[in-house]
Amino acid sequence: MREFADHILARAQETKHPVTNLSLQKIMYFVLRNSSQILTRDEQEEIYSEPFLVWRYGPVVESEYNRFNIFGSSEIVGEYQANQRYEKLNPLIDKFLDVAPFRMVSASHTHHFWKNNQEAIVYGRSDISYPLDEVLRDGTTN
C-alpha cells in the first residue's frame, strides 16, 4: 500500500492537486474499489498488502495514516515516486482527486461493511479489517 500511496501523491503533485491524509485514504480506497475493469485480481491483491480498517471517517490503512499524521489536516508535502505499475490507474486517481474528501467519507459510510462494523469504532478507530472482496464489493462508489 505504501507504493500505491506514493504513486497517488506523485500523481497529485504532477496534476497540482493538494492531498491531505484524509483525502489520501479515501482516494486509495475508492481507486482500488473501482479498479476491477482496469486491474486483474492478482494486481488488486498485490496492491492490497495491508488492509483498510473501519475508522470513524471511513476506511484507513493504518501504516499510511501514521506515516502522514504529522501533516494533520494540511496538505502532504515531500517527494513521492510514481510507479509505472499503477499508471493505468491514473484516470481513476484523477477522478477522485477532484472529489471533496468529506463527500468520499460520506459515500464510504454507505457501504455495507462500514455500516455493519461501525459499532466497533472506539475513539475514532477499530481493528476491523476490510477483506479485499468488501473493498471491491460491487465496484461502485456506493
Side-chain angles (χ1 to χ4, degrees), residues 42-55:
D42 287 345
E43 289 171 320
Q44 291 169 325
E45 289 174 359
E46 183 180 322
I47 289 173
Y48 201 56
S49 58
E50 179 182 349
F52 290 102
L53 301 176
V54 176
W55 282 19

Side-chain angles (χ1 to χ4, degrees), residues 8 10 14-15 26 29 35 38-40 50 52 57 68 84 90 93 95 107 110 117 124 134 136 141:
I8 291 168
E14 180 182 331
T15 60
K26 300 309 152 257
Y29 175 74
S35 67
I38 301 168
L39 300 177
T40 66
E50 179 182 349
F52 290 102
Y57 294 112
F68 297 113
Q84 187 175 6
N90 285 352
I93 293 167
K95 173 184 172 182
T110 69
N117 290 287
E134 287 296 330
L136 304 175
T141 56

Side-chain angles (χ1 to χ4, degrees), residues 102-116:
F102 279 98
R103 183 166 173 225
M104 291 185 281
V105 168
S106 294
S108 72
H109 286 177
T110 69
H111 299 167
H112 297 289
F113 192 78
W114 190 89
K115 288 188 337 188
N116 292 340

Side-chain angles (χ1 to χ4, degrees), residues 13 15 23-24 29-30 33 35 40 60 67 69-70 73 75 81 88-89 94 129:
Q13 290 173 341
T15 60
S23 59
L24 175 63
Y29 175 74
F30 280 107
R33 183 170 181 86
S35 67
T40 66
V60 170
R67 180 175 161 210
N69 195 32
I70 190 168
S73 61
E75 178 181 356
Q81 187 69 41
K88 57 188 164 183
L89 292 172
D94 293 348
S129 298

